[in-house]
Amino acid sequence: MIPVTKPYFPSREKLNKYLDGIYDRQWLTNNGQLVQELTSRLEEYLGVENLLLVGNGTLALQIAYRVLGVSGEEAGQHPEAITTPFSFIATASSLKWDGVNPVFVDIDPGTWCLDPKNIETAINANTRAIVPVHVFGNACEVEAISELANKHNLKVIYDACHTFGVQYRGESLLKHGDAATLSFHATKLFHTGEGGAIIFKRKEDLERAKKLINFGITGPESIEELGVNAKLNELQAAMGLCVLDEIDQNLAARADIWRRYKQELNDKVQFQNISEDLSYNHAYFPAVFETEEQAMAVAAALKDNSIQVRRYFYPSLESVACLGDHPVMPISNNISRRILCLPIYEQLTGYEQRTIIDIIKSELV
Ligand SMILES: *Cc1c(COP(=O)(O)O)cnc(C)c1O
């Protein structure tokens, strides 16, 4: 079976060395040495400041909402946030879970990111934030979004879970927004098994978040405010340090696969318009087919050959019942019906790539 993605497994020897250290120090969690080391190495690698490691990418969003007053008591009675229907469920469900109503506005048909032109009419007195997604690592229109947010006094939290290592106009894309969040789930480009991070614009927000991820505790006998447990532990940090050591070869292998798919499938499928001035991370290979029937036929043909593709993202989130009643988002709905993500991971062999491409081509004649 060829899966759509495979977790990256770094050198076992190196991992063992980190585990030896954990056994020597007898320290497993609560901001241990490896969590501190991973924090500073990630800040350096990504070119950011104010990075906080947390338990997963969903908690990263939830902590960011809370710290920025988008959820919780500071948010008032019926808080809302404007977000994209074309994303993984966690972007919107994390809002709903925390009592913030997700208000969807449609995406740009080329970039598949939230279209700033649709945002302003959705803003009302309850709107607290804009939660866009740099979908598949592509950059949102960060300047336009930031202008709107300033004009209406809204926070911006980027779900940047696909954006590991992406540079935009010469600096990290993660620097945009009041906060940007990452997921380090096993299937992501960079991972810690489960894990995530928040990159805050302001140091004081980072400091408050440090309290919130540890029950609001600030000392042996002091609990300053309501918190939760959202900490990353030493075992996860050890995995992350090993994966980070090998990130260059991981990125290079994915870039090769991505370029080969692109070259071979050019003219046959629609690709995402990647922003100019973006150094892409090739974390996903999304392809949009002419019709839903064609996409389903390709998926079925691949499945017959034990090759997995994913309808990622499908369904468009406005149609997910547990998120509430929302109007149809025509562009997101249309793309989500026709999109498939093809297998892409470091160990995917040239032969496997050839097989996948040939099957797709044979369905498209
Ligand atoms: C993976 C992902 C998440 C959730 O991250 P977890 O670490 O699995 O909680 C949220 N948003 C997007 C866009 C993702 O891809």
Side-chain angles (χ1 to χ4, degrees):
M1 220 268 284
I2 300 177
V4 67
T5 185
K6 235 183 202 175
Y8 184 88
F9 277 86
S11 152
R12 178 70 186 264
E13 263 174 43
K14 188 168 268 173
L15 184 61
N16 284 344
K17 287 207 184 101
Y18 282 112
L19 294 177
D20 288 344
I22 292 174
Y23 272 75
D24 289 345
R25 289 186 297 276
Q26 299 274 297
W27 189 289
L28 278 167
T29 187
N30 288 62
N31 202 27
Q33 183 174 317
L34 298 186
V35 163
Q36 292 176 34
E37 198 175 319
L38 184 60
T39 302
S40 53
R41 279 196 50 199
L42 283 173
E43 285 185 341
E44 191 189 312
Y45 178 80
L46 298 168
V48 297
E49 289 175 340
N50 303 329
L51 181 146
L52 181 66
L53 291 171
V54 295
N56 59 55
T58 307
L59 280 166
L61 287 165
Q62 291 177 295
I63 298 292
Y65 303 150
R66 192 59 75 115
V67 166
L68 295 166
V70 175
S71 68
E73 275 175 23
E74 291 157 44
Q77 278 296 307
H78 302 286
E80 294 180 3
I82 294 168
T83 188
T84 171
F86 189 66
S87 184
F88 182 59
I89 179 71
T91 312
S93 63
S94 58
L95 287 164
K96 184 93 176 162
W97 183 270
D98 275 339
V100 184
N101 197 36
V103 174
F104 296 109
V105 305
D106 216 345
I107 55 172
D108 179 280
T111 66
W112 310 340
C113 293
L114 199 61
D115 188 341
K117 286 196 292 296
N118 300 329
I119 292 176
E120 203 152 26
T121 51
I123 296 172
N124 65 44
N126 292 326
T127 312
R128 297 286 170 272
I130 307 170
V131 182
V133 179
H134 298 301
V135 72
F136 301 128
N138 200 14
C140 291
E141 290 181 48
V142 289
E143 288 87 4
I145 290 171
S146 150
E147 247 174 60
L148 282 168
N150 288 339
K151 183 173 163 194
H152 295 277
N153 196 22
L154 305 176
K155 301 292 184 193
V156 181
I157 297 113
Y158 281 105
D159 180 337
C161 285
H162 299 166
T163 317
F164 191 86
V166 173
Q167 299 278 113
Y168 180 58
R169 296 189 178 153
E171 61 170 12
S172 174
L173 185 52
L174 298 165
K175 286 188 165 179
H176 293 277
D178 298 285
T181 63
L182 290 168
S183 164
F184 302 152
H185 182 260
T187 56
K188 301 293 207 273
L189 175 63
F190 168 82
H191 76 86
T192 57
E194 291 270 8
I198 315 167
I199 292 90
F200 286 103
K201 177 152 281 169
R202 287 169 293 271
K203 179 119 189 126
E204 58 266 33
D205 292 333
L206 168 73
E207 293 306 327
R208 182 157 175 225
K210 282 183 185 168
K211 275 189 283 179
L212 296 197
I213 67 165
N214 190 32
F215 312 101
I217 294 173
T218 51
E221 290 170 15
S222 87
I223 299 150
E224 264 183 32
E225 63 175 317
L226 197 63
V228 71
N229 182 4
K231 300 188 298 292
L232 193 88
N233 68 45
E234 291 292 279
L235 295 164
Q236 294 169 308
M239 178 59 94
L241 286 162
C242 295
V243 174
L244 191 57
D245 276 341
E246 297 170 23
I247 197 81
D248 287 342
Q249 74 188 56
N250 188 355
L251 284 166
R254 283 168 182 270
D256 282 346
I257 299 167
W258 196 94
R259 288 196 198 100
R260 185 169 183 197
Y261 278 145
K262 176 100 195 249
Q263 194 182 0
E264 297 263 5
L265 298 174
N266 228 349
D267 308 329
K268 299 204 163 47
V269 297
Q270 183 193 331
F271 303 109
Q272 185 178 28
N273 290 347
I274 307 292
S275 333
E276 280 175 40
D277 300 323
L278 187 94
S279 76
Y280 194 54
N281 63 10
H282 308 99
Y284 299 90
F285 192 89
V288 170
F289 294 82
E290 239 173 79
T291 61
E292 186 171 14
E293 291 69 34
Q294 195 183 59
M296 292 304 92
V298 167
L302 289 166
K303 195 175 171 210
D304 285 345
N305 289 274
S306 301
I307 298 162
Q308 188 192 29
V309 287
R310 255 188 93 186
R311 299 188 82 183
Y312 201 61
F313 299 102
Y314 177 87
S316 186
L317 294 179
E318 84 277 8
S319 64
V320 175
C322 62
L323 295 175
D325 275 340
H326 301 278
V328 174
M329 297 287 125
I331 299 167
S332 171
N333 198 280
N334 178 284
I335 288 171
S336 70
R337 287 176 187 282
R338 296 185 290 130
I339 199 165
L340 297 176
C341 279
L342 306 187
I344 189 163
Y345 49 89
E346 192 247 2
Q347 297 148 285
L348 190 71
T349 65
Y351 176 77
E352 290 170 328
Q353 294 162 41
R354 181 78 263 151
T355 310
I356 293 164
I357 290 162
D358 287 346
I359 293 169
I360 296 174
K361 279 184 168 172
S362 71
E363 282 300 315
L364 298 183
V365 285

